[in-house]
């Protein structure tokens, strides 16, 4: 196992699963990482057919809201993010994507510098038919700030309140992510 793949496997091992589905996704990902070092997208849209991506979810903890954009290719309301470049550490990917797509310096002080969530999903839209292994990073934002998402990737953006979230045209795992984020945002017991 190459060092970059080993580092990603260590990150994945640190993710505490929300439920049995996330446990299966973690196990599937660890088995995949043990079987190959070909984990970074080399050619669009799907070479290799399973590859590593990072979601970067901008969260306003005080408002209990997340910023999502209407993704041009997928046609869904999604967090920002993108593919992990060959040899790139996923935390660096999250930083890069936050700067490129939101125009912010990533602050990982909501749930920490590790991904909060992991999913394995078959994509939809014009880049469909491959699997994304997605590491869901959480960064701090403020819904009072004006955030215009990268118009090459997104056709508009909107803050969504976690407590009133009813969006159906989003990542199929977003509802479960929302549950896990809600747990992470709860105040620590005294």
């Amino acid at each position: 196992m190459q060092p970059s793949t080993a580092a990603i496997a260590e990150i994945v091992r640190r993710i505490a699963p929300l439920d049995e589905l996330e446990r299966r996704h973690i196990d599937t990902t660890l088995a995949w990482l043990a079987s190959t070092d070909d984990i970074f997208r080399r050619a669009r849209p799907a070479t290799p057919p399973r590859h590593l991506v990072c979601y970067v979810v901008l969260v306003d903890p005080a408002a209990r809201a997340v910023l999502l954009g209407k993704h041009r290719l997928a046609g869904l309301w999604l967090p920002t993010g993108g593919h992990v470049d060959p040899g790139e550490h996923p935390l660096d990917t999250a930083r890069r994507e936050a700067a490129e797509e939101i125009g912010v310096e990533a602050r990982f002080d909501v749930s920490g510098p590790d991904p909060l969530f992991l999913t394995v999903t078959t994509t939809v839209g014009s880049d469909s038919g491959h699997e994304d292994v997605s590491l869901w990073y959480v960064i701090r934002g403020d819904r009072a700030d004006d955030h215009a998402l990268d118009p090459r990737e997104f056709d508009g953006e909107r803050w969504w309140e976690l407590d009133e979230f009813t969006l159906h045209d989003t990542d199929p795992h977003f509802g479960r992510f929302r549950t896990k984020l809600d747990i992470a945002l709860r105040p620590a017991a005294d």
Side-chain angles (χ1 to χ4, degrees), residues 21-94:
L21 181 54
E22 188 175 13
R23 164 56 53 209
R24 286 196 310 268
H25 285 190
I26 289 170
D27 291 345
T28 297
T29 299
L30 290 172
W32 170 61
L33 294 170
S35 72
T36 185
D37 286 311
D38 193 15
I39 62 173
F40 304 105
R41 185 175 77 170
R42 291 179 277 108
R44 290 185 78 169
T47 303
R50 177 185 283 171
H51 48 261
L52 193 64
V53 301
C54 290
Y55 273 138
V56 184
V57 187
L58 189 68
V59 175
D60 181 333
R64 297 182 46 76
V66 297
L67 182 69
L68 300 179
K70 185 71 167 184
H71 195 270
R72 289 186 181 276
L73 291 177
L76 300 172
W77 287 94
L78 298 174
T80 57
H83 293 87
V84 180
D85 288 340
E88 185 177 39
H89 191 283
L91 189 61
D92 294 330
T93 303

Side-chain angles (χ1 to χ4, degrees), residues 148-164:
L149 300 185
D150 183 349
R152 294 169 296 178
E153 299 275 338
F154 296 96
D155 187 22
E157 60 279 330
R158 180 175 162 204
W159 284 95
W160 298 87
E161 293 181 16
L162 291 175
D163 300 327
E164 299 175 10

Side-chain angles (χ1 to χ4, degrees), residues 80-127:
T80 57
H83 293 87
V84 180
D85 288 340
E88 185 177 39
H89 191 283
L91 189 61
D92 294 330
T93 303
R95 285 185 181 105
R96 176 176 52 79
E97 293 292 341
E100 290 175 2
E101 294 187 354
I102 313 171
V104 300
E105 183 177 330
R107 293 174 35 208
F108 299 95
D109 61 351
V110 175
S111 63
D114 280 339
L116 179 65
F117 195 53
L118 179 139
T119 57
V120 179
T121 309
T122 301
T123 61
V124 299
S126 60
D127 272 358

